Amino acid sequence: MQPRFNFYKAAPDAYKAVAALEDYVQTSGIEKRHIHLIKLRASIINGCAYCVDMHSKEARNGGLPEQWINLMAVWKESPVYDTRERALLGWVDAVTNLAQTGAPDDAYEALKAHFSEEDMTKLTVAIGAINIWNRLAVGFRSQHPIDQAAKAA
C-alpha cells in the first residue's frame, strides 16, 4: 500500500479545522480512558492501521492495561470492560456504523444510563472527530511508522 498524498500539506486549513476539533475533544472534560476507548475502537472498526497503531500506543502510555487494549476488537466477548465502558463501546459501534445501525434505541438507552446529556454530546463529538481522522488516513493511505524490532536478551 502506497500513500496517495499528504493531506496535511494539501489542505492546511482543513487540517487545522480538524485539529481544532481534536483540541476541543482533548480539553472537553471527557475522561482520558474514554478518549482512548473511543479512538481505538472507532479506528478498529474503520480499519485504520495508522490510527490503531497510534491510539494503542497512546493508551499504553496512558497506563491502560495491555489486556484492555488488546481485547478492544472483541469487546462484546470480554469481561474486561465495566458497564460504563461497555455502554460507550456500544455507542461508538452504533455511531461509527451509522448507515447500518441508525443509532438504535438500545445503544442510546445503555449510554444514557451512565452519562448525562452533556457527556453524551461530548462523547459523540469525540466519536465524530476520530471518524474524520480515520477517513483522512484510510482514504489517503497514511502509513504508520514501523517500530524497531526489540533485540532478544
Side-chain angles (χ1 to χ4, degrees), residues 16-93:
K16 287 177 188 172
V18 179
L21 182 58
E22 181 64 32
D23 287 342
Y24 168 78
V25 168
Q26 294 297 327
T27 60
S28 67
I30 299 171
E31 289 180 40
K32 294 300 178 196
R33 179 182 195 89
H34 292 157
I35 291 174
H36 292 306
L37 179 151
I38 290 166
K39 288 175 176 271
L40 186 54
R41 180 61 187 158
S43 297
I44 290 167
I45 293 167
N46 289 322
C48 185
Y50 185 94
C51 293
V52 169
D53 180 62
M54 176 192 304
H55 299 305
S56 61
K57 289 173 181 172
E58 287 176 353
R60 194 172 296 109
N61 290 336
L64 294 169
E66 199 70 25
Q67 190 176 41
W68 189 93
I69 295 165
N70 292 340
L71 292 171
M72 185 73 61
V74 292
W75 70 269
K76 290 179 184 178
E77 289 78 33
S78 176
V80 168
Y81 307 97
D82 66 28
T83 56
R84 280 183 98 212
E85 291 169 335
R86 295 180 77 73
L88 181 51
L89 283 160
W91 190 244
V92 173
D93 285 12

